[in-house]
Amino acid sequence: MTQPPPPPPNQPPDPQGGFGAPTPQQPDPGYGYPQQPPAQPDPGYGYPQQQPPTQPDQGYGYPQQPPYGYPTAPQQPQQPPQYGGYQQPHQPVQPVQPPYGYPTQPQQAYGHQQPVAAPGGKKLSAQLQIVIAAVVAVVLIVGVGIWYANSGGGDDEAKGSGGTSQGSATGGDTGGKGLGGGGKEKPSADTKAKMVFQVGQPKVSDVTDVSGSWITDKAFVKPGVNSVVGYDVDKGGVLWTLPLTGQVCGASRHITKDNKAPILFEATKRVAPRYYQPCTEVGLVDLNTGKLLWSTSVTGGTAGDQKARFSEVTLSGTTVAAGGTDGGAAFDLANGNPRWKPQANDQNCYDMGYGGGEGLVAVRKCGAYDSPKVLIQNLNPTTGAPLSQFQMPAGAKYASVISTKPLVVAADVGETAGDGSGISDFFSIDEKTGKLKAKITADADQYAARCRATEVESCSQALVGNGRLYVPTEEHEGSTGEYGDETNEIIAFDLTTGRTVPEKADAGDKYTYVPLRMDGGNLIAYKAPPYDQGGRIVSVDGGTMKETLLLENPVDKTVHNAESSFSLNGAELLYQDGRFFISETLISKPRENASPNDIKEYLIVSFSVGH
């Protein structure tokens, strides 16, 4: 069949942005070595500002323009979605629920009887009151039964037969009993942290992607310029440097138990005026020693005889998988031998990318650019054979994998999110059968999780565990209603019913939750601070949603300025064993008119307790 037009060469990634985004400036010399915290001016992240303009944020996750050379088409009327290829039968109309946190009318407690008045102010007789009360009780019972039947709470939904549930429906029957706990992260006797080291941003000639970071017992590992660098976790000195042929252009979120991480990198160094080279090389780095264990590339797919270009890489078991607009490929973890390659004339389809971890899930795209069919395929990691398949609804041009087991994906269906988050809905899918268990509608004005639209494994602030999906709400005013006391919550959805559960975690006035990762049945979360406090790391019980303080950063102004110099939408935050690292994902050429009073920008800042 006809192949889609060859994709353009890799384009520079969009600059990171959003509230608190750093402004590029000239870094100090001595890149790669620890520095003393400089004296900094006042306000950083969280300081009360003037009300921002109502212009949409064009930072991380902002909707991308179609690649150059692809035709555009007028918006077509959206078709009724088909899930997994199965046309859903007509569902009864769901009762409209108010948004989370919206005040509702007070409800009368069930069984509580109020005095019944007769017309003209006269009381009814006791016998007549009893009759009326009995009739009202019957009406209530019937009404509740009808609401329950229409709410999707019947047998079909409980069995995961593919019926959908809207996530805005609240009050599911799943409580937090027996959930949560089992995490490895425990609080130290003293949770007061200190800044351990900082690394300034290296000099670059243009916008440079430095995404990727990992922690081992001895090293914090981060891409640099044409290199990967390991820093001593306790002192910040350089333990090792791995030179590469070109810039790192992709890094796996998952590593092996013995600290090996897949990466992508460019075959040649960037030379002006061409600041980007094709991202074609796949390699495996030993994070303990800094050795490149193997590197390779493949041809095929829309690249033809040229090297296939990739945009992301992941790991599942003994398989390293890389995907992009040229198609997907997989490699043996032990030696880099290909397990499969991009295929030419593959029914006009290609693997955009893969979700790794406990399983391996491909997001496969077929058809024309402006009206694609997007498939979610649970794969055999060794052979690449699909074990199950789910077809995304019409209007979904991309999809992102939140978790592979259980299988949860996100998408902006019909580009309706409107806030640059890349998410309008989450989909809970049975990875064994490919059937939809629940569709959770994520109101863009309500929830703060984000995905890069064109990358499969790039979502942040959405976690899966305990049979639940955890997402934070957007910031809203705190208990005082004053500007500067904004806060948020973490809400949980049941992955079987799609409904919110009763428990939630409240960040408290002036703090904002940023979920980082699961720790057993608990959530590790960062609490972004106000201007006069340090940030915190907490463990949130995944069942009760009660938090435990693990680390609290200093209030010291210079330390706070270093912590707040990162944009939360453009930084990587890692916590492990009492150590907290914030690192940049995108750096750029320093500004020529940089002021000495500008807040200094860092590649890495590190905090620690109990070490």
Side-chain angles (χ1 to χ4, degrees), residues 99-462:
Y100 173 79
Y102 190 83
T104 57
Q105 296 296 324
Q107 301 296 318
Q108 180 175 311
Y110 177 74
H112 180 66
Q113 301 296 327
Q114 299 289 341
V116 182
K122 297 181 180 180
K123 292 184 178 180
L124 299 177
S125 67
Q127 183 175 8
L128 184 56
Q129 288 187 39
I130 292 173
V131 173
I132 293 175
V135 172
V136 170
V138 171
V139 171
L140 284 174
I141 293 172
V142 173
V144 169
I146 293 174
W147 177 87
Y148 180 77
N150 288 341
S151 68
D155 292 341
D156 286 347
E157 186 174 54
K159 295 176 183 178
S161 64
T164 64
S165 296
Q166 300 300 320
S168 56
T170 59
D173 56 4
T174 56
K177 294 182 179 180
L179 301 179
K184 296 180 181 179
E185 305 293 354
K186 307 297 181 183
S188 301
D190 183 4
T191 56
K192 297 293 185 181
K194 61 181 180 181
M195 180 180 280
V196 179
F197 68 90
Q198 319 88 44
V199 176
Q201 291 190 8
K203 293 181 179 180
V204 294
S205 301
D206 202 354
V207 177
T208 302
D209 192 341
V210 289
S211 299
S213 54
W214 308 273
I215 306 175
T216 72
D217 293 338
K218 297 181 178 179
F220 176 77
V221 183
K222 180 75 183 169
V225 176
N226 302 320
S227 65
V228 178
V229 183
Y231 302 88
D232 187 306
V233 290
D234 293 322
K235 299 178 180 178
V238 174
L239 295 177
W240 51 260
T241 300
L242 170 63
L244 297 170
T245 58
Q247 186 61 34
V248 172
C249 46
S252 172
R253 291 188 170 192
H254 309 283
I255 64 175
T256 64
K257 292 182 179 180
D258 57 351
N259 296 323
K260 295 180 176 64
I263 62 170
L264 302 175
F265 57 99
E266 296 170 357
T268 57
K269 291 181 173 59
R270 300 175 180 181
V271 179
R274 183 174 182 177
Y275 291 111
Y276 291 87
Q277 300 292 335
C279 187
T280 58
E281 309 305 301
V282 185
L284 185 70
V285 179
D286 187 327
L287 304 178
N288 295 320
T289 64
K291 303 296 183 183
L292 185 64
L293 301 177
W294 54 258
S295 64
T296 188
S297 60
V298 295
T299 60
T302 57
D305 295 334
Q306 304 296 316
K307 289 183 178 181
R309 294 162 294 182
F310 302 113
S311 57
E312 54 186 305
V313 65
T314 193
L315 171 70
S316 179
T318 61
T319 297
V320 173
T325 54
D326 283 343
F331 308 88
D332 190 320
L333 176 72
N335 50 32
N337 291 339
R339 288 188 166 169
W340 64 84
K341 300 180 182 181
Q343 298 298 310
N345 300 319
D346 193 9
Q347 299 181 350
N348 207 21
C349 298
Y350 66 93
D351 289 354
M352 291 193 294
Y354 303 91
E358 292 189 41
L360 185 63
V361 172
V363 176
R364 189 164 177 80
K365 196 170 186 178
C366 302
Y369 171 79
D370 56 351
S371 58
K373 178 172 67 175
V374 177
L375 306 174
I376 309 299
Q377 295 182 333
N378 183 33
L379 304 181
N380 179 317
T382 303
T383 66
L387 302 176
S388 66
Q389 177 173 290
F390 170 77
Q391 182 175 328
M392 295 294 288
K397 294 183 178 180
Y398 302 96
S400 299
V401 177
I402 307 291
S403 168
T404 55
K405 285 188 179 182
L407 179 52
V408 180
V409 302
D412 185 1
V413 181
E415 300 179 348
T416 57
D419 65 340
S421 66
I423 304 171
S424 67
D425 302 274
F426 295 96
F427 298 80
S428 174
I429 303 166
D430 187 321
E431 65 268 16
K432 295 181 180 179
T433 65
K435 290 184 177 180
L436 182 70
K437 294 193 291 186
K439 180 170 77 75
I440 300 168
T441 297
D443 186 332
D445 294 330
Q446 196 172 339
Y447 301 109
R450 307 177 74 87
C451 298
R452 292 177 186 248
T454 58
E455 294 188 17
V456 168
E457 201 173 42
S458 65
C459 298
S460 62
Q461 302 195 54

